[in-house]
Amino acid sequence: KACLTVEPLAPEYNMNSAVANQVMRGGKHYATFRFYIGTNVGIIRPIQNWDEEGYGGGMEGFRLYYFSPMQLNFYPKLLAEHTDRWGESNKHWCAYSSHNGLRYSADWENLPGIDEEWDSGAGLATVLPGERAKVGLLLDLDEGTLTVYKDGRRLGVIQDGLTGEYCWFAEIPCEARGEVSISRGEPPHED
């Protein structure tokens, strides 16, 4: 789907997630995400059997409504899907957080990494309350980088050393109504 809308769930559930079914294996790929604060957008390894019971955190009937690549209880199952097509990189997902402008990533063996040190364009990466952000992500699998754009301005490389297959994904917080839309296109031209 090009658009995902989330209805509020009980406070004990953290995030709703959507993973694109288009697998990116090489070259350059650019997508624009439009959303409000609190949404995380990024790349993730392709997930087989996405609708299979078990991605709902063991909570029958919830399945994807409770999935987040940040949750440790999913790591063994996600790592079990490893294939040679993942390449040499151990960055199995990487996301830009609109809440605080930080980068989140993990190898699905250790706690998720939170990195404030990426060059985020002098603090311009955070999405403000009430702002409908337009965030672009450029996945360059020739260079092995993921670059973030906000409102057409390049903020910087959020991750390097990427190899293998990835898909776009988005996480929307469950505590409030949210919506994210995605469209493919060309990255903004830099002057």
Side-chain angles (χ1 to χ4, degrees):
K1 292 184 177 181
C3 186
L4 173 70
T5 302
V6 174
E7 298 295 328
L9 291 177
E12 63 267 21
Y13 307 111
N14 297 330
M15 304 292 271
N16 275 302
S17 298
V19 176
N21 60 6
Q22 175 192 357
V23 178
M24 299 171 286
R25 294 183 173 94
K28 294 181 181 181
H29 306 268
Y30 184 80
T32 300
F33 298 82
R34 294 195 57 88
F35 53 82
Y36 293 100
I37 190 170
T39 300
N40 300 325
V41 293
I43 56 171
I44 191 169
R45 296 293 188 186
I47 299 174
Q48 306 299 315
N49 306 314
W50 176 249
D51 291 324
E52 179 181 302
E53 189 161 338
Y55 280 115
M59 302 178 151
E60 188 174 334
F62 284 97
R63 295 194 178 153
L64 300 182
Y65 301 116
Y66 192 61
F67 174 76
S68 169
M70 292 187 192
Q71 295 172 329
L72 294 174
N73 56 317
F74 295 115
Y75 284 18
K77 185 168 180 133
L78 292 166
L79 276 174
E81 297 196 18
H82 184 274
T83 72
D84 290 342
R85 293 185 306 270
W86 284 14
E88 299 297 318
S89 175
N90 70 347
K91 291 298 180 193
H92 301 318
W93 68 270
C94 179
Y96 157 83
S97 172
S98 67
H99 176 71
N100 49 24
L102 299 181
R103 171 185 73 176
Y104 294 84
S105 64
D107 58 10
W108 288 336
E109 292 181 5
N110 301 293
L111 289 172
I114 301 171
D115 188 358
E116 299 179 51
E117 300 302 318
W118 74 281
D119 178 15
S120 61
L124 298 175
T126 302
V127 174
L128 302 174
E131 176 185 6
R132 183 152 168 81
K134 181 179 178 184
V135 171
L137 296 178
L138 174 62
L139 175 62
D140 185 338
L141 288 169
D142 297 331
E143 296 292 325
T145 58
L146 182 64
T147 304
V148 176
Y149 295 77
K150 183 178 175 221
D151 298 324
R153 180 177 178 179
R154 183 183 186 275
L155 299 184
V157 173
I158 198 168
Q159 184 67 60
D160 59 12
L162 300 170
T163 64
E165 298 181 327
Y166 292 97
C167 297
W168 299 119
F169 88 98
E171 284 186 310
I172 302 174
C174 293
E175 68 269 9
R177 184 182 308 270
E179 179 180 292
V180 61
S181 62
I182 179 175
S183 59
R184 290 187 289 178
E186 295 292 322
H189 295 287
E190 297 180 38
D191 298 328

